Amino acid sequence: MTNPIQPRLTQVFRFVRCSYANGVAELVYAFDQGEELIERVSFPAPPHLPPERKQAFDAALKLLHLFAGVSYYKAGIPPKIDIADGPLDDATADLLEALYLHGLAEFAYRNGLDLRGRIVFPRTSSSPSPLRGEGHALAQALALPKRTLVPIGGGKDSLVAVEAIKQTGGDATAVWVGNSPLIAACAQRTGLPTLNIQRELAPGLFELNRLGAWNGHIPVTAVNSAILALAAILYGYDSIAFANERSASAATLEYEGQQVNHQWSKGYAFERLLGDWLHTHVAADLDYCSLLRPYSELAITRAFARLTPYFDVFSSCNRNFKILGPKPADRWCGQCPKCHFVFLALAPFLPKPRLLAIFGRNLLDDDTQAAGFDALLEYHDHKPFECVGEGAEARAAMYALSQRPEWQEDALVARFRSEILPQLDATELALEPWLQPAGEHRVPARLQPALAAIG
Ligand SMILES: CC(=O)N[C@H]1[C@@H](OP(=O)(O)OP(=O)(O)OC[C@H]2O[C@@H](n3ccc(=O)[nH]c3=O)[C@H](O)[C@@H]2O)O[C@H](CO)[C@@H](O)[C@@H]1O[C@H](C)C(=O)N[C@@H](C)C(=O)N[C@@H](CCC(=O)O)C(=O)O
Ligand SMILES: Nc1ncnc2c1ncn2[C@@H]1O[C@H](COP(=O)(O)OP(=O)(O)OP(=O)(O)O)[C@@H](O)[C@H]1O
């Protein structure tokens, strides 16, 4: 038996190889000369890959290998990264360095680490590209079928995106990664064709965790995005429409000059980087976008409040999505930042009894939850490390409730009125501005009617 590796003492993280056969992608990594860590991604009923898509498929597979490596790299964060296939072109190395640095920023902050200058992917040129990916010719267009993969996360956002596409007659498939029964139920409820891709982390990672590996948040949306890019080429889709909101681009906090954003790979900077990279390295006609990009969380909860057929199946509570360990008995644990935020953000747009029926309780009439709501409001604390809206939009929602007779007496709303509201600038508390679309997006022309249907 080989000696167990001490993950924090390793020197090299190695991208060993990746392969695909019969619907299964194998992604292989190792630290130093340690045992191979093999992640598998399984695509159901894999079709025969048309030869004209082979080059694009190989490029997407390589990207998935590089992106999914973040789960393993973080276990040891050794000083050197090695890629058996050889060095990356500048645009790819830039993308990877941005993803690992910003996508692991929360991990680094919470572990007291500074990864700046440490994450260096081998590249064919000797210095980082000043062009940041510009200057690459477009990849070949593949005449991909005009249909859309819509990732489903079990929560409200993707369901808003689905309904907008359905409303405008778009050809779409509801797709999800992993084996969550909750997500499966939401996908079924959409009435769209479905596609469920399985992802199995290397069991050796859990062993490394037991041996004291570094651990923490990873940019999982980037991994899901790379899986879906591969799926788009394999099954034939010309677009992948995520449901990432405008607020996802806002940092959770700033620390020693670095922005730390829990949701970095849901943000617009990542969307731009990956969207451009897919156009230049995979297929000129494969679009990657977020259909909800111009919308705030509050605009999305207002849209979701109309989607009553999903109320008994959806949940935004991430405790449902753990790979290991027990799942919560209820779809909403009622204790975590996501439960707090979604309760607060839906409250202005739903009749109160309807909201209480979804959650099975009134989170705003429970003194023990005060600290959780304070963090959402950025009162005495920073925004939680979770997928929640901006502090200012949480304050706008709370202010709206504080003006409504049916909410005013609830413990935490009453406390907001008496204790927090007097310290706030009343001119910054209106709900209405949050309901207007704003900012850039990359939604392709074919999907823009769906974008307009959301508002
Ligand atoms: C469900 C969840 O929140 N998991 C995070 C949690 O993991 P935990 O240890 O409590 O349990 P498991 O989920 O069962 O994971 C076991 C270990 O496996 C490793 N791991 C898991 C998934 C993965 O893709 N890569 C991994 O390396 C990890 O070592 C786990 O300990 O805490 C972990 C440590 O802080 C987090 O890494 C787990 O987060 C998952 C990656 C995850 O899927 N989280 C999403 C719910 C999530 O955070 N989504 C974000 C998206 C933001 C983005 O930019 O992508 C969001 O909703 O805001
Ligand atoms: N397991 C998954 N498979 C595929 N896509 C996923 C998965 N989990 C999340 N996503 C996608 O990632 C994006 C961000 O996830 P997020 O959790 O914010 O959205 P959501 O679950 O739709 O809504 P909510 O904010 O209410 O949780 C969404 O587009 C979502 O569909």
Side-chain angles (χ1 to χ4, degrees), residues 39 68 70-72 74 103 106 110 199 201 205-206 209 214-224 261-267 316 318-325 327 338 385-388:
E39 174 161 335
V70 74
S71 291
Y72 307 95
K74 67 128 164 49
E106 172 188 337
R110 296 177 83 164
R199 171 176 180 230
L201 283 161
L205 178 63
F206 307 123
N209 285 346
W214 296 108
N215 200 2
H217 181 67
I218 59 120
V220 67
T221 305
V223 178
N224 288 336
N261 181 1
H262 170 80
Q263 311 184 69
W264 190 78
S265 68
K266 287 175 59 185
S316 307
N318 280 339
R319 295 190 182 173
N320 292 295
F321 308 122
K322 285 168 87 74
I323 301 167
L324 303 175
K327 310 280 185 293
K338 283 280 284 218
F385 285 112
E386 262 288 6
C387 169
V388 296

Side-chain angles (χ1 to χ4, degrees), residues 295-304 393 434-436 454:
Y295 297 99
S296 70
E297 283 277 8
L298 289 174
I300 295 165
T301 47
R302 181 178 66 166
F304 185 76
E393 70 186 309
W434 290 100
L435 304 180
Q436 305 308 320
I454 292 165

Side-chain angles (χ1 to χ4, degrees), residues 11-35:
Q11 292 303 306
V12 187
F13 180 67
R14 297 193 293 124
F15 290 85
V16 178
R17 64 180 180 281
C18 61
S19 60
Y20 170 85
N22 304 322
V24 181
E26 274 196 359
L27 315 168
V28 185
Y29 313 91
F31 287 100
D32 298 341
Q33 298 310 312
E35 281 176 25

Side-chain angles (χ1 to χ4, degrees), residues 340-417:
H340 293 150
F341 182 77
V342 177
F343 189 96
L344 176 62
L346 275 172
F349 307 111
L350 277 179
K352 189 173 179 183
R354 193 96 212 223
L355 182 69
L356 301 197
I358 292 174
F359 282 81
R361 67 208 99 166
N362 183 351
L363 304 187
L364 282 169
D365 201 20
D366 178 353
D367 280 318
T368 67
Q369 310 265 13
F373 282 96
D374 284 355
L376 292 179
L377 303 172
E378 293 178 329
Y379 177 65
H380 289 331
D381 203 349
H382 61 74
K383 202 170 88 164
F385 285 112
E386 262 288 6
C387 169
V388 296
E390 294 177 47
E393 70 186 309
R395 293 192 288 275
M398 190 67 103
Y399 176 70
L401 300 186
S402 75
Q403 305 304 301
R404 297 192 188 171
E406 74 273 26
W407 285 102
Q408 272 174 4
E409 305 303 321
D410 289 349
L412 299 182
V413 184
R415 176 174 168 272
F416 173 82
R417 268 167 74 97

